[in-house]
Amino acid sequence: MRPCSAALAGYLNSAANLEIVQVDLYTFALSSGEMLRWSGGDAALTIPAAGFPAGSINHGAPQTFTLGPRFGRSKVTNKIGVQAAELDIEIMAGANDLIGTFAIAEAVRLGIFDGATVELDRLFAPPQAAGAGALDTSLGCLLWFYGRVADCDIGRSTVQVKVKSLMNLLAVQQMPRRLYGAACTHIFGDAMCGYDRAGGKNAQGAVTGVGQITVTAATGSTQSLVNITSSPAAAYVEGTITGATGANTGSTRTVANLGGGAQVAVWRPLLFPITPGDTFTMLPGCDHTTATCNGTFNNLLRYGGMPYIPPPEQAV
């Protein structure tokens, strides 16, 4: 059974309602923080907050789905067992269908869709009378499919996106959880590492001075290289930069390097142009070596690697 609103359940249960309009709604929650919402119908649609069931990433607030590219998709199947369900989405984008300033095919090539969460909702609405105007969206939606992008294939006129249900995460887990190796296996800032990236404190609560900072964009910034008015320390390489104001607010990127000190190069370009004066927050990164863990973050007690393990050639 799929949960739905009381209004939709009542409409479907009524013998008097013999016709209904169905529209697919596509939500792409990018791993970098952006949300893309597209209508699969012939017009943009605004769905009220009560129109999404609990468990939907759109639940709790009204959402607008813009009229973007045309979509095709495979059927959604339900299976008993642990096999991951799959959904194949075909995106047929025109010249005016953009993600930020990028064409959809170019965005896929840049890796913007990598690891994105995808939700397919099916909107149900009563039939429209001729000239009635906008579709009535008060009945709400059913959550039809939920998963993550597994693969993308770019063709001459279409983009093929394969989405697998979250059950697939069980098949890609690292087992055993930890392996012997010189480098630290913790995720920087997680519970096992214990470092407070925002507050600049190690796992014991000692202040290190390497935490969240705010930088301001200067003139000459591009979507891949942000000129800033200060010079962050080298500890912020492999860290993250997140838009605080401006068109890229909420978008997060990994810091590739600090060119010349007062420049921040990111691995994937931001979606929108940067205006001088836009502010960003930066969090430090870690290269998972003992030198950085001890010298920069004073967190050697939580180091998760085995730096003195012999290499395989000498261990035999």
Side-chain angles (χ1 to χ4, degrees):
M1 297 292 291
R2 300 178 188 268
C4 67
S5 67
L8 178 56
Y11 187 92
L12 295 176
N13 284 330
S14 174
N17 299 320
L18 301 179
E19 297 182 351
I20 196 166
V21 176
Q22 302 179 37
V23 180
D24 286 345
L25 304 175
Y26 296 85
T27 302
F28 292 79
L30 305 183
S31 60
S32 51
E34 297 93 345
M35 298 288 289
L36 307 175
R37 295 182 176 92
W38 287 313
S39 167
D42 57 2
L45 295 170
T46 298
I47 313 301
F52 296 100
S56 167
I57 58 179
N58 297 310
H59 178 70
Q63 306 293 350
T64 298
F65 292 77
T66 61
L67 183 61
R70 292 180 296 137
F71 288 92
R73 65 173 178 86
S74 60
K75 292 183 179 179
V76 175
T77 59
N78 295 313
K79 301 178 181 178
I80 298 176
V82 296
Q83 182 179 355
E86 296 184 359
L87 176 68
D88 294 322
I89 299 176
E90 183 179 42
I91 303 176
M92 294 157 278
N96 296 324
D97 296 319
L98 303 176
I99 300 176
T101 60
F102 301 102
I104 292 179
E106 184 179 3
V108 172
R109 291 190 186 97
L110 293 171
I112 290 175
F113 278 76
D114 292 356
T117 299
V118 180
E119 178 175 311
L120 170 64
D121 295 291
R122 174 163 284 188
L123 171 69
F124 292 85
Q128 289 177 282
L135 196 67
D136 179 6
T137 61
S138 60
L139 293 181
C141 308
L142 290 182
L143 200 164
W144 213 246
F145 189 87
Y146 189 92
R148 296 181 66 186
V149 171
D151 189 26
C152 293
D153 186 21
I154 304 171
R156 296 183 63 182
S157 58
T158 62
V159 175
Q160 305 287 339
V161 180
K162 182 177 289 294
V163 183
K164 293 189 177 182
S165 69
L166 298 185
M167 187 73 72
N168 187 58
L169 295 178
L170 297 176
V172 297
Q173 294 297 311
Q174 171 66 53
M175 295 297 291
R177 168 65 180 84
R178 299 187 63 192
L179 299 176
Y180 286 105
C184 178
T185 57
H186 298 335
I187 298 174
F188 184 45
D190 70 359
M192 298 185 72
C193 168
Y195 188 83
D196 183 354
R197 297 175 68 198
K201 299 177 182 179
N202 67 9
Q204 287 71 48
V207 177
T208 65
V210 185
Q212 178 175 296
I213 61 173
T214 300
V215 297
T216 303
T219 57
S221 297
T222 68
Q223 290 164 250
S224 299
L225 185 65
V226 185
N227 293 332
I228 55 178
T229 56
S230 58
S231 298
Y236 293 88
V237 176
E238 298 185 23
T240 54
I241 181 170
T242 304
T245 63
N248 293 293
T249 299
S251 298
T252 298
R253 295 293 186 271
T254 301
V255 177
N257 59 68
L258 303 173
Q263 291 180 323
V264 179
V266 295
W267 283 111
R268 296 173 184 168
L270 294 160
L271 296 184
F272 300 99
I274 298 172
T275 302
D278 289 351
T279 57
F280 296 83
T281 58
M282 294 183 64
L283 294 175
C286 182
D287 61 4
H288 302 280
T289 63
T290 54
T292 299
C293 186
N294 185 43
T296 303
F297 302 114
N298 190 23
N299 203 41
L300 193 60
L301 292 177
R302 289 292 188 95
Y303 186 73
M306 296 80 178
Y308 303 112
I309 188 172
E313 294 80 7
Q314 299 179 12
V316 177

